[in-house]
Amino acid sequence: MTTCSPTQPLPMADVPHWDFATDVAVVGFGAAGACAAIEAAGAGAKVMLFERSSGSGGASALSGGEIYIGGGTDAQIAAGFEDTVADFTAYLKLAGGPCADEAKCELYGAEALAHYQWLKDQGVPYRGNYLPGKVIEPTDDSTLIWSGSEAATPFRNQAKPAPRGHVIAHMGWGGGRPLVDILERRARDLGAEIHVDARAVALITDGGRVAGLVVRIDNQDRYVRASRGVVLATGGFVFNDAMRRKYCPDSFRVHSPIGDKDDGIGIELGASVGGDPIHMDQFFTTCPWTIPADQAHGVFVNVAGARFINEDCYHGRVSRCAVDQPGGKVYLLLDSAHFSQPLDLAGITIAGTGDTWAEVEGELGMPAGTLSATMAVYNSHARHGHDPLFDKQAPMLVPLDQAPFVALELNFETSYFSFFTLGGLKTTTSGEVLTRAGLPIPGLYAAGRCTSGLPAWGHGYSSGMSLADCTFFGRQAGRAAAYA
Amino acid sequence: MTTCSPTQPLPMADVPHWDFATDVAVVGFGAAGACAAIEAAGAGAKVMLFERSSGSGGASALSGGEIYIGGGTDAQIAAGFEDTVADFTAYLKLAGGPCADEAKCELYGAEALAHYQWLKDQGVPYRGNYLPGKVIEPTDDSTLIWSGSEAATPFRNQAKPAPRGHVIAHMGWGGGRPLVDILERRARDLGAEIHVDARAVALITDGGRVAGLVVRIDNQDRYVRASRGVVLATGGFVFNDAMRRKYCPDSFRVHSPIGDKDDGIGIELGASVGGDPIHMDQFFTTCPWTIPADQAHGVFVNVAGARFINEDCYHGRVSRCAVDQPGGKVYLLLDSAHFSQPLDLAGITIAGTGDTWAEVEGELGMPAGTLSATMAVYNSHARHGHDPLFDKQAPMLVPLDQAPFVALELNFETSYFSFFTLGGLKTTTSGEVLTRAGLPIPGLYAAGRCTSGLPAWGHGYSSGMSLADCTFFGRQAGRAAAYA
């Protein structure tokens, strides 16, 4: 029998027999796969979903269940925010930076309101209220939060700010799990056939077309005929060190991967038939430095005592820029009016204290006139509501002049810098996987973090962008496959 | 007739006839292709070389003809430098940073002395003398120059410094042209058959093996049978905007590509048969800020008035780190003792002057206490021979305290930041092109900037590393193909 592997598709002529036959085969049961299955089944296709774990979830279930939605939702309007498709779309493009997929930004910008309604129609509950402040995840059942850098420079100057993080109604952290549960129920209700403990190991090709896949179940290769298409929704490659070494080596600066078996299998399967992985060097990272909330008023400096960003940006953007700094660590400076004990899990330590910033500078071993000069400039302008260097805004812009002072250390090795990869297969807005020449591969679709999508650029990521991408473009991929 | 394209190999069964038959076909006639042809022909293989331009050269001929060689060359010894294979190899790995190919660093580290002899044996002349100072290219016929960050922190702490840039004896700039001329003559003498104005458009496959290629000559497709192998040596992708957008979008920060038709064709051809392009986001860039030589004593600050590097690093490393800074520009600060008019071609302008650093700061529109504080700290320590922030070393470490003062602007849009891409096909030390699964593709070899090689990391590049890689690994690829 021909051996097959993720990097070597199996020609259909070598398939010994078919174990399963379906119209659409979806690989991976996080939010992207679930939404693909729902739409494909809803379109009347026979759908089978294969998941290597013992149940649904993926990285989606580890998230806060927050989805980035704008353009004037009920929650935005109720809270008094005017948001437009134009501003929302502009922000999506800014967040994508040099990696932005303009067509995906425009389609999602135009369709997000309808997508929000679709999510509600699937049964995802939203209370509809607004929770102000810097929030990573609401711990009550609130809906709308600021989840990006919308109100921070340079974003605020190019797209009118509005909060756009929409969180499933859920008490406590971790709304991702109930979100996937609802999507799973919906997929099952629509007749999608779910196979768990079923790991995809190769695609099956019929000439230039993807005709199915090989899945390993109980250590046996099973052959799945997918007459309309295969949808890859297997997540990123944060747990594949060899892939990270080749394509995303800067991610080794941080040490707390988030994911659920995200080993890049979908990217490898897609590439095995000519798919085009792009922006593979991009990764998201964040350290929860805005908890407790007082700490969000802090000032970051690098080991040379220099600021490097307006700290009112999204915590992930600040964290990603922090990881670019030399010396393996950065310091978060706070005064006694704004210090609280950091979260234990964050691994953030106290590196220096003092009754003056000069004392803190000395405790950190920095030369006199570095950190202390930085803070003198910062405070003198913050007192007047200005940050001439980085344009940090109120209410985060406050003078830090109440002794004693403290420098917290965010260490890239030992602090909790969670991260996941953003690069993946290049796809159309319909989820078709493209070759390097820009041609769709017949029969192959993909969505979520095995693709490069809305959250394309680590420095621009905003919370809810990956789930927005997974749910919305998962739907497109499922529908395109069903109608193929 | 079947159409073929760089991204779609032509099955041998669809080849209508053979126009050429050879043992080894080399694609591209820069230094890598020339060295591959020399070694393949020297090993007794029939060799044909196909070049899309009207003559040899490629990006190699646009260079200074400098090759990074260490471990104790005659020129190093004559100048009193002790260099060892261990230190040289350690530096190669540091220069590769997170992208280093350890096996290539180790092989080249061990073989560079023999490679230097081989270059001489081909007729490349070296005068053997040492030219001290910060030199981009010698304008006399000197041999040995400092061409990297060897004596700068952190490199100096992990590998004993020595100069390793070895330049062909040649008066004036541009030793790359005569270097390629010598290699061309040698290839012709050994019987390599040269076809110019012959553009590679597709590979030809025989099952899993590369069996030849299609070249376009006089607008006709010509079919080349290469019974032992095809060697791709076509350079990077600096002139392919679509590839840069997908794989190296940060390179759009700078605007002066260096190359000769480097459109990524070799990377596409390799990928079309399963080759694995890696580190595609990496690029080299430099702005000639160390000319005139006095300017090498300057201090760089970003738009926030903060230093970001020890300025005694290689000019390209400083430039690459500069391009990471926000605000689209950086400033090079000089005092009257060290200022000379910048090179016209560099596009470096005077952005501010003053009798004190505070005045310069004001002219640049920076808040009081930023740049002036930076320079106060710098000068107070430089007077005692220290740079506690970045560990810049003498002789570049000098106080800048002789009024008047000047800030030169290096603008990423308008200054001359030349650049080229570093990402490419993953190859073995023998030049075999590897698949994503890490298996060699039978019949396919590659060298130079269509591969990821010694100069893998933009932040660690040192002058002469690309030509070292092209010439040495070009040789390995040619020999491996000949003996296949």
Side-chain angles (χ1 to χ4, degrees):
Chain A
M1 197 173 72
T2 311
T3 56
C4 58
S5 80
T7 57
Q8 186 62 53
L10 184 69
M12 198 154 90
D14 296 336
V15 173
H17 58 267
W18 295 113
D19 295 286
F20 301 99
T22 186
D23 295 329
V24 175
V26 177
V27 188
F29 203 1
C35 289
I38 291 168
E39 287 285 32
K46 179 169 181 183
V47 175
M48 291 186 187
L49 197 154
F50 299 92
E51 163 60 41
R52 68 188 288 175
S53 295
S54 299
S56 69
S60 303
L62 303 174
S63 77
E66 180 180 340
I67 302 185
Y68 199 82
I69 304 173
T73 66
D74 50 6
Q76 288 180 313
I77 292 166
F81 293 101
E82 278 182 29
D83 195 13
T84 65
V85 166
D87 286 315
F88 173 46
T89 306
Y91 184 82
L92 292 172
K93 290 181 186 178
L94 292 168
C99 309
D101 183 322
E102 303 247 319
K104 286 182 182 174
C105 293
E106 281 166 19
L107 181 67
Y108 185 64
E111 295 292 328
L113 288 180
H115 181 57
Y116 186 41
Q117 186 57 52
W118 181 88
L119 288 164
K120 292 177 182 174
D121 292 346
Q122 307 316 301
V124 182
Y126 292 100
R127 187 173 143 208
N129 67 316
Y130 166 59
L131 181 67
K134 269 228 186 250
V135 177
I136 291 184
E137 291 181 30
T139 49
D140 64 6
D141 59 354
S142 290
T143 295
L144 182 63
I145 62 171
W146 290 95
S147 71
S149 302
E150 300 85 358
T153 293
F155 304 91
R156 66 194 302 269
N157 309 314
Q158 295 168 65
K160 188 179 170 191
R164 301 195 183 99
H166 285 71
V167 189
I168 182 173
H170 169 75
M171 295 304 290
W173 285 51
R177 181 71 259 173
L179 174 68
V180 176
D181 287 342
I182 290 164
L183 296 172
E184 171 174 0
R185 195 173 322 124
R186 184 74 180 139
R188 289 186 185 275
D189 286 349
L190 287 166
E193 194 177 307
I194 315 291
H195 298 267
V196 297
D197 299 313
R199 182 163 65 89
V201 290
L203 292 176
I204 295 169
T205 49
D206 180 13
R209 186 179 171 81
V210 171
L213 75 158
V214 185
V215 294
R216 203 157 285 161
I217 299 176
D218 290 338
N219 213 26
Q220 299 278 325
D221 282 353
R222 301 293 180 183
Y223 301 91
V224 182
R225 178 86 176 92
S227 56
R228 297 195 192 167
V230 171
V231 180
L232 302 171
T234 56
F237 58 101
V238 76
F239 288 117
N240 185 323
D241 279 5
M243 282 184 76
R244 282 171 58 211
R245 191 67 68 191
K246 286 199 292 183
Y247 311 120
C248 191
D250 281 340
S251 68
F252 285 94
R253 289 173 168 234
V254 288
H255 298 273
S256 303
I258 317 178
D260 173 40
K261 305 186 177 66
D262 295 68
D263 64 356
I265 180 73
I267 297 171
E268 291 301 331
L269 291 171
S272 76
V273 294
D276 186 11
I278 63 173
H279 303 317
M280 291 289 280
D281 56 307
Q282 294 297 318
F283 65 98
F284 162 82
T285 189
T286 199
C287 181
W289 62 272
T290 57
I291 302 174
D294 267 354
Q295 291 186 186
H297 296 90
V299 162
F300 272 102
V301 293
N302 59 26
V303 294
R307 289 177 69 207
F308 51 88
I309 196 166
N310 44 328
E311 298 85 355
D312 58 336
C313 288
Y314 170 64
H315 54 84
R317 176 171 161 79
V318 174
S319 299
R320 183 65 191 80
C321 290
V323 168
D324 287 334
Q325 303 301 308
K329 60 190 168 190
V330 295
Y331 298 107
L332 177 61
L333 307 179
L334 292 158
D335 70 354
S336 63
H338 298 93
F339 170 76
S340 321
Q341 195 62 32
L343 271 190
D344 264 359
L345 75 81
I348 295 174
T349 55
I350 293 179
T353 56
D355 286 327
T356 62
W357 283 118
E359 271 185 49
V360 175
E361 176 180 79
E363 282 209 5
L364 298 179
M366 291 181 187
T370 52
L371 182 150
S372 58
T374 296
M375 290 312 293
V377 171
Y378 177 81
N379 281 335
S380 71
H381 293 279
R383 279 183 202 111
H384 302 101
H386 297 298
D387 172 15
L389 286 182
F390 293 98
D391 201 27
K392 184 178 180 177
Q393 303 290 313
M396 296 307 157
L397 179 69
V398 292
L400 299 174
D401 53 9
Q402 305 299 309
F405 303 108
V406 63
L408 301 179
E409 178 174 326
L410 279 70
N411 186 297
F412 312 155
E413 291 274 345
T414 53
S415 300
Y416 181 72
F417 277 87
S418 60
F419 74 104
F420 55 83
T421 61
L422 297 176
L425 297 167
K426 184 165 170 62
T427 53
T428 65
T429 54
S430 306
E432 300 161 297
V433 176
L434 295 174
T435 65
R436 293 177 71 93
L439 302 173
I441 298 166
L444 189 65
Y445 305 84
R449 291 290 59 73
C450 65
T451 72
S452 177
L454 292 177
W457 184 46
H459 294 76
Y461 192 90
S462 303
S463 261
M465 278 204 173
S466 189
L467 273 185
D469 184 75
C470 289
T471 55
F472 182 76
F473 289 104
R475 291 178 58 203
Q476 313 312 310
R479 205 158 44 216
Y483 289 122
Chain B
M1 197 172 74
T2 311
T3 57
C4 58
S5 79
T7 56
Q8 186 60 54
L10 185 69
M12 198 154 91
D14 295 337
V15 173
H17 57 267
W18 296 113
D19 294 288
F20 301 99
T22 187
D23 294 331
V24 175
V26 177
V27 188
F29 203 179
C35 289
I38 291 168
E39 287 285 31
K46 179 170 181 183
V47 176
M48 292 186 186
L49 196 155
F50 300 91
E51 163 59 43
R52 67 188 289 175
S53 295
S54 298
S56 70
S60 303
L62 303 174
S63 77
E66 179 180 341
I67 302 185
Y68 199 83
I69 304 172
T73 67
D74 50 7
Q76 288 179 315
I77 292 166
F81 292 101
E82 277 183 31
D83 195 12
T84 63
V85 166
D87 286 315
F88 173 47
T89 305
Y91 184 82
L92 292 172
K93 291 181 185 178
L94 291 168
C99 309
D101 183 321
E102 304 247 318
K104 287 183 182 173
C105 294
E106 281 166 19
L107 182 65
Y108 185 63
E111 294 292 327
L113 287 180
H115 182 57
Y116 185 41
Q117 185 57 51
W118 181 89
L119 288 164
K120 293 176 181 173
D121 292 345
Q122 308 315 302
V124 182
Y126 292 100
R127 190 174 141 207
N129 67 315
Y130 167 58
L131 181 66
K134 268 230 185 249
V135 177
I136 291 184
E137 292 181 30
T139 50
D140 63 7
D141 58 354
S142 291
T143 296
L144 182 63
I145 62 172
W146 290 95
S147 70
S149 302
E150 300 85 359
T153 294
F155 305 91
R156 67 195 302 269
N157 309 315
Q158 294 168 65
K160 187 179 172 191
R164 301 194 183 101
H166 285 70
V167 189
I168 182 173
H170 168 74
M171 294 304 290
W173 286 51
R177 182 70 259 174
L179 174 68
V180 177
D181 287 342
I182 290 163
L183 297 173
E184 171 174 359
R185 194 174 321 126
R186 184 74 179 140
R188 287 185 186 275
D189 287 350
L190 288 166
E193 193 177 305
I194 314 291
H195 297 268
V196 296
D197 299 314
R199 181 163 66 87
V201 291
L203 293 176
I204 294 169
T205 49
D206 179 15
R209 187 180 169 80
V210 171
L213 77 157
V214 185
V215 294
R216 202 158 284 161
I217 300 176
D218 290 338
N219 213 26
Q220 299 276 326
D221 282 353
R222 302 293 179 182
Y223 301 91
V224 182
R225 178 85 176 92
S227 55
R228 296 197 192 165
V230 171
V231 180
L232 302 171
T234 56
F237 58 101
V238 76
F239 288 118
N240 187 324
D241 279 5
M243 282 183 75
R244 281 172 57 211
R245 191 68 68 190
K246 287 198 291 185
Y247 311 119
C248 190
D250 281 340
S251 68
F252 285 94
R253 289 173 169 233
V254 288
H255 296 275
S256 303
I258 317 178
D260 172 41
K261 305 186 177 67
D262 295 68
D263 64 355
I265 181 72
I267 297 171
E268 291 301 331
L269 291 172
S272 77
V273 293
D276 186 11
I278 62 171
H279 303 317
M280 290 289 280
D281 57 306
Q282 293 298 318
F283 65 98
F284 161 82
T285 189
T286 198
C287 183
W289 63 272
T290 57
I291 303 175
D294 268 354
Q295 290 186 187
H297 297 90
V299 162
F300 272 102
V301 293
N302 60 23
V303 295
R307 289 177 70 208
F308 52 87
I309 196 166
N310 44 329
E311 297 85 355
D312 58 337
C313 288
Y314 171 63
H315 54 84
R317 176 170 161 81
V318 175
S319 298
R320 182 65 190 80
C321 290
V323 168
D324 288 334
Q325 302 301 308
K329 58 191 169 191
V330 295
Y331 298 108
L332 177 61
L333 308 180
L334 292 159
D335 69 355
S336 62
H338 298 93
F339 171 76
S340 321
Q341 193 62 34
L343 270 191
D344 264 359
L345 76 81
I348 296 175
T349 55
I350 293 178
T353 57
D355 286 326
T356 62
W357 283 118
E359 272 185 47
V360 175
E361 174 181 80
E363 282 209 7
L364 298 179
M366 291 181 186
T370 52
L371 182 150
S372 58
T374 296
M375 290 311 294
V377 170
Y378 177 81
N379 281 334
S380 70
H381 294 280
R383 280 184 203 110
H384 302 102
H386 297 297
D387 172 14
L389 285 182
F390 293 98
D391 201 26
K392 184 178 179 176
Q393 302 291 314
M396 296 306 157
L397 179 69
V398 292
L400 300 173
D401 53 9
Q402 305 298 309
F405 303 108
V406 62
L408 301 178
E409 179 174 324
L410 278 70
N411 186 296
F412 312 154
E413 291 273 344
T414 54
S415 301
Y416 182 72
F417 277 87
S418 59
F419 73 104
F420 55 83
T421 61
L422 297 176
L425 297 167
K426 184 164 171 62
T427 53
T428 64
T429 54
S430 307
E432 300 161 298
V433 176
L434 295 174
T435 65
R436 294 177 70 92
L439 302 174
I441 298 166
L444 190 64
Y445 304 84
R449 292 290 59 74
C450 66
T451 72
S452 178
L454 292 178
W457 184 46
H459 293 76
Y461 192 90
S462 303
S463 261
M465 278 205 174
S466 189
L467 273 185
D469 185 74
C470 290
T471 54
F472 182 75
F473 289 104
R475 291 176 59 203
Q476 313 312 310
R479 204 158 43 216
Y483 289 121

